Amino acid sequence: MTSETITAESAGTWHLGDLPVRRVGFGAMRLTGSAAFHLGDPSDRERSLAVLRRAVELGVNHIDTAAFYFSSLRSANELINSALAPYADDLVIATKVGPYRDWSGEWGTSARPEDLRGHVEENLRQLGRDHLDVVYLRRMRQDSIVDHFGALAELRAAGLVRHLALSDVEPRHLAEAQAIAPVVSVQNRYGLGFHDPATDALLAQCRAQGIAFVPFYAIAGEAGPRGAGTAHEEVRAVARAHGASPAQVRIAWTLHQGPNVLAIPGTGNPDHLAENVAAGALRLTDEELARLDGARTG
């Protein structure tokens, strides 16, 4: 099969609460331009809409977004709404609250607990939804998340949010949140190009509890919001052995970290989209995984 014929079903399925999602999803951050936020050139609108529609055609039913994903001309949420509404019943849209950017694109003061309802409602408005499937509380350096997560739990009780999740947290924050309401997913920076032992411990905690773990910047590595970084020689060697790209190997390695690990690679390029989805069918050997693990920890 070619990349164009492999669908997201090849990666298998996991549940975000009661919502089944395919393990290869789509991250909306790169829909708006050549790099995230205001760092690159704005995207072509029609191309971005086409990428979203093609993602769904390829079986993707998990999209990760945020109201603060916008460039000078494009909003990820608006693109999702325009391309995909009315939404398919099985499409799960996850968004994040906490960080804030003003109309000029500058980062503002992160949300206080009482601000989070406004953040949720802005996502609802932009997406054209009456509730949000999954909302991540993105921790912004606060030592405790009790007050912020408690505010989101109230919105969940009110029916504005179906499931709650956490982003950029430590194991102790997961315990804090679980004392308030169920957590269906954790989203931290993680991947072959970025190694943090504390996040490894958090992944193990999520695996043990059956909580989804959704890495961000899994392809970009150290480059972060600016895009994919330089691939390590071990990554390139494994890619050559499979006739795959280094990005596909990074996605496949991510998925091999456990059945609860989901990938949300983002792109504004239709060809890259097909390659990213096809990475869900790439099976790495134990020897290859050991080589890649050594490159990550070495």
Side-chain angles (χ1 to χ4, degrees), residues 41-90:
D41 299 321
S43 63
D44 178 80
R45 176 178 168 76
E46 292 305 316
R47 190 187 200 202
S48 293
L49 295 175
V51 165
L52 282 163
R53 292 171 181 141
R54 183 58 179 152
V56 172
E57 290 173 357
L58 288 172
V60 170
N61 69 340
H62 173 212
I63 295 177
D64 182 88
T65 187
F68 52 87
Y69 287 176
F70 63 87
S71 67
S72 59
L73 291 180
R74 303 281 174 259
S75 156
N77 281 355
E78 185 277 327
L79 290 166
I80 292 167
N81 189 345
S82 296
L84 302 180
Y87 301 106
D89 290 342
D90 70 337

Side-chain angles (χ1 to χ4, degrees), residues 1-10 50-51 53-59 248 267 269-279 281:
M1 293 191 296
T2 68
S3 292
E4 290 295 331
T5 61
I6 299 174
T7 71
E9 293 180 357
S10 65
V51 165
R53 292 171 181 141
R54 183 58 179 152
V56 172
E57 290 173 357
L58 288 172
Q248 286 179 308
T267 183
N269 183 312
D271 294 333
H272 290 169
L273 167 70
E275 290 179 2
N276 291 344
V277 172

Side-chain angles (χ1 to χ4, degrees), residues 94-109:
T95 190
K96 288 167 286 297
V97 297
Y100 170 73
R101 293 172 70 206
D102 65 23
W103 61 270
S104 69
E106 293 301 315
W107 290 101
T109 303

Side-chain angles (χ1 to χ4, degrees), residues 220-284:
E222 294 289 351
R226 296 185 181 275
T230 302
H232 192 280
E233 173 53 33
E234 294 292 350
V235 176
R236 295 196 295 270
V238 173
R240 287 193 296 269
H242 287 271
S245 70
Q248 286 179 308
V249 170
R250 290 187 181 198
I251 294 169
W253 179 88
T254 299
L255 294 172
H256 276 73
Q257 302 312 301
N260 65 314
V261 180
L262 313 181
I264 50 168
T267 183
N269 183 312
D271 294 333
H272 290 169
L273 167 70
E275 290 179 2
N276 291 344
V277 172
L282 182 58
R283 302 293 183 258
L284 304 176

